[in-house]
Amino acid sequence: ETLTDDTTVLRFPNGFRWGTATAAYQIEGAAAEDGRSPSIWDTFSRAPGKVRNGDTGDIAADHYHRMHEDVALMRRLGLTDYRFSIAWPRVQPTGRGPAVQKGLDFYRRLADALLDAGIRPVATLYHWDLPQELENAGGWPERETAQRFADYAALVADALGDRIGTWTTLNEPWCAAFLGYGNGVHAPGRTSPLDSLRAAHHLNLAHGAAVRVLRDALPPASHLSLTLNLHALRPLTRSAEDLDAVRRIDAVANRVFLDPVFHGRLPQDLVQDTAGITDWSFVRDGDLAISSTPIDSLGINYYSPTVVAAGRSESPSPWAGAERHVRFLPAPGPRTAMDWPVDADGLYELLIRLRDDLPGLPVMITENGAAYDDYADPSGQVHDPERIAYLHRHLTAVHRAIEEGADVRGYFLWSLLDNFEWAYGYSKRFGIVYVDFATQRRIPKKSADWYADVIARKGVEVTRQNA
Ligand code: GBH
């Protein structure tokens, strides 16, 4: 499609899903309302020194009370889909026993409002907010937690399966396991290599057990998925040592999930690399068959690539011992406010890898976006040209991968709203809608207008030299 002599539109396939993504603890607030109990993030954010400025999700973007306003914003963007997460401690406060009706009602109203707006609801069952009582009983390193998750999935499916057609079990189990139990940067803040590996296994088991329960409980056309933050890894040089550093991190960041979930096996090199930590006897017969229960697509969240070389890094680390053999280098190029490099090739490379390694598996980009130091100017506008440039580059990379045979079905921009950015609190703004947290006023940024244009024309505009 030609617009002028020198611009053209990279069009995405018909039916491509254009969304935004959020997570319950990051936007909802209402932390103690309608029977919600604390999750590990409530506890962690209250512990001194864990979250920047002592911020918590108590109020966040107050989405629990402003849901209709937020859905109206999404309708104006023209989204086809919206990815949100369901707060386990709202629906089943202690992680056991019957559901709390008021908690379920919120998500029922949200799904209905979305459907009324012509937006497909895409629900994630777990975006890191484990009920604190389950952590008190041992958390993800304990096998029991996987069964609790499957039971919770059944409750939610029974209540919402008639309205929600696309389901994701877990968001980024790597973060839950290795940042939560390995280096302690995320809740619950534990620092044990053994616990991080046990957590990873039990998250895989929880995922598979939930898929089995969901297939039974949901209408046959329902779509089931898992979201991973696959790491796009680059060796510093092509030396054997640097390539081996990539192999080690690939095992403990990517294949620790991909192998159980898609091949029903553990990565054997990881088992060897971690021999000094565990013999993996917590993996029981039959577990990997459960973890590899078939799903309909894989969600991937991508922000930036990771450059590695042979060497040594600090501990506590999220790498379960690999830090003794690997160092991490800053990737070159411009950076976002997170200090993460802007490098869309990493996304392209991941999509090509999935095309080759998991043929026939549809993929959705369930998160991609950038934080910048946004502010409202005196006329009340928020100009964020760097975010637009970031999104433009990454969508162009997705388009290129699709042209080369990657089966990408959708793109969910992180995030709809500025929100509670985990250990960074409110200091980082990822939204395409600005939130003035003092008043809770929403201001769509320029990137929101830009994204609405992309959705309307089903693609990104490029100048011909780049086309
Ligand atoms: C996602 O996680 C989350 O799903 C979302 O809730 C969050 O708000 C959003 O991204 C923005 O942060 O430790 O060397 O691998 C992001 C996952 C994991 C990406 C840590 C950057 C740091 C480099 N992040 N990673 S490393």
Side-chain angles (χ1 to χ4, degrees):
E1 181 183 341
T2 305
L3 294 177
T4 67
D5 283 347
D6 50 350
T7 59
T8 187
V9 172
L10 301 180
R11 255 189 156 263
F12 282 68
N14 284 331
F16 194 79
R17 297 163 75 153
W18 297 98
T20 57
T22 63
Y25 190 67
Q26 295 182 271
I27 63 166
E28 284 180 1
E33 271 177 60
D34 294 338
R36 182 184 177 282
S37 282
S39 79
I40 55 175
W41 270 97
D42 296 270
T43 308
F44 187 76
S45 62
R46 280 186 178 79
K50 299 295 187 187
V51 172
R52 198 175 281 192
N53 301 319
D55 291 341
T56 73
D58 284 356
I59 300 172
D62 197 32
H63 171 72
Y64 194 73
H65 300 118
R66 292 164 198 268
M67 179 271 282
H68 286 288
E69 177 186 352
D70 293 339
V71 172
L73 283 168
M74 290 191 260
R75 185 204 283 261
R76 265 175 263 146
L77 290 172
L79 300 185
T80 65
D81 288 72
Y82 171 55
R83 173 178 182 252
F84 58 95
S85 81
I86 293 174
W88 189 349
R90 227 182 248 303
V91 163
Q92 193 191 34
T94 64
R96 293 188 168 83
V100 166
Q101 208 49 48
K102 283 190 171 170
L104 286 171
D105 284 345
F106 172 71
Y107 299 105
R108 196 175 283 126
R109 290 196 305 275
L110 170 59
D112 286 346
L114 290 166
L115 292 167
D116 279 350
I119 301 169
R120 241 174 320 197
V122 176
T124 299
L125 286 168
Y126 186 71
H127 200 124
W128 308 350
D129 42 3
L130 187 72
Q132 181 60 42
E133 287 207 24
L134 292 186
E135 173 59 22
N136 297 348
W140 287 111
E142 281 306 316
R143 185 179 182 84
E144 166 78 5
T145 305
Q147 188 53 51
R148 298 281 66 78
F149 180 71
D151 289 356
Y152 154 67
L155 291 183
V156 176
D158 283 342
L160 302 172
D162 57 342
R163 293 166 161 80
I164 301 177
T166 306
W167 295 84
T168 301
T169 54
L170 308 174
N171 177 70
E172 300 190 352
W174 182 82
C175 293
F178 294 97
L179 301 181
Y181 296 90
N183 71 353
V185 166
H186 280 187
R190 284 156 65 180
T191 53
S192 157
L194 173 59
D195 284 340
S196 68
L197 296 171
R198 292 176 60 105
H201 172 62
H202 294 134
L203 282 154
N204 284 332
L205 186 62
H207 157 75
V211 169
R212 291 185 173 193
V213 158
L214 291 169
R215 281 276 184 236
D216 262 12
L218 293 172
S222 306
H223 183 110
L224 303 185
S225 184
L226 163 72
T227 283
L228 300 176
N229 60 310
L230 292 180
H231 286 58
L233 300 168
R234 303 246 170 83
L236 179 63
T237 74
R238 305 295 303 173
S239 72
E241 293 76 11
D242 288 355
L243 291 173
D244 195 58
V246 166
R247 177 198 61 74
R248 281 180 186 272
I249 299 303
D250 188 50
V252 73
N254 297 332
R255 287 182 285 112
V256 65
F257 301 105
L258 291 173
D259 281 9
V261 169
F262 293 106
H263 306 294
R265 64 177 186 230
L266 294 174
Q268 284 310 305
D269 57 333
L270 179 65
V271 172
Q272 278 166 30
D273 290 348
T274 54
I277 300 172
T278 178
D279 61 3
W280 292 78
S281 54
F282 50 83
V283 180
R284 297 199 193 153
D285 283 354
D287 283 4
L288 294 165
I290 294 172
S291 298
S292 57
T293 305
I295 52 178
D296 303 307
S297 71
L298 174 65
I300 63 167
N301 295 350
Y302 174 83
Y303 292 89
S304 58
T306 305
V307 181
V308 304
R312 248 181 127 63
S313 355
E314 275 170 39
S315 148
S317 104
W319 308 112
E323 68 277 7
R324 287 180 283 109
H325 307 273
V326 177
R327 70 197 164 98
F328 296 83
L329 294 108
R335 301 184 165 258
T336 69
M338 299 298 282
D339 209 29
W340 297 347
V342 178
D343 183 333
D345 291 343
L347 179 53
Y348 166 81
E349 289 156 18
L350 275 181
L351 294 172
I352 295 301
R353 172 185 180 172
L354 293 172
R355 177 198 71 184
D356 295 342
D357 290 359
L358 295 168
L361 181 73
V363 172
M364 291 212 262
I365 318 272
T366 40
E367 289 180 26
N368 175 242
Y372 287 104
D373 295 323
D374 306 310
Y375 59 91
D377 74 13
S379 69
Q381 298 192 23
V382 182
H383 291 271
D384 56 345
E386 297 148 301
R387 179 174 292 102
I388 292 172
Y390 178 100
L391 297 170
H392 187 279
R393 279 169 185 276
H394 286 75
L395 280 167
T396 303
V398 175
H399 189 271
R400 179 156 61 107
I402 292 173
E403 286 202 312
E404 294 174 23
D407 187 5
V408 186
R409 304 289 178 93
Y411 176 90
F412 293 75
L413 197 163
W414 184 271
S415 184
L416 176 69
L417 302 170
D418 291 338
N419 61 50
F420 176 80
E421 177 49 33
W422 305 114
Y424 294 87
Y426 298 99
S427 70
K428 303 295 175 195
R429 295 180 176 274
F430 273 92
I432 55 172
V433 175
Y434 183 87
V435 177
D436 175 6
F437 291 103
T439 62
Q440 294 294 346
R441 182 160 164 236
R442 275 83 166 122
I443 306 174
K445 304 177 190 178
K446 290 295 166 198
S447 56
D449 300 336
W450 178 85
Y451 193 45
D453 286 346
V454 168
I455 296 170
R457 70 164 77 90
K458 300 176 195 252
V460 282
E461 213 174 289
V462 288
T463 58
R464 274 205 181 275
Q465 304 84 291
N466 306 335

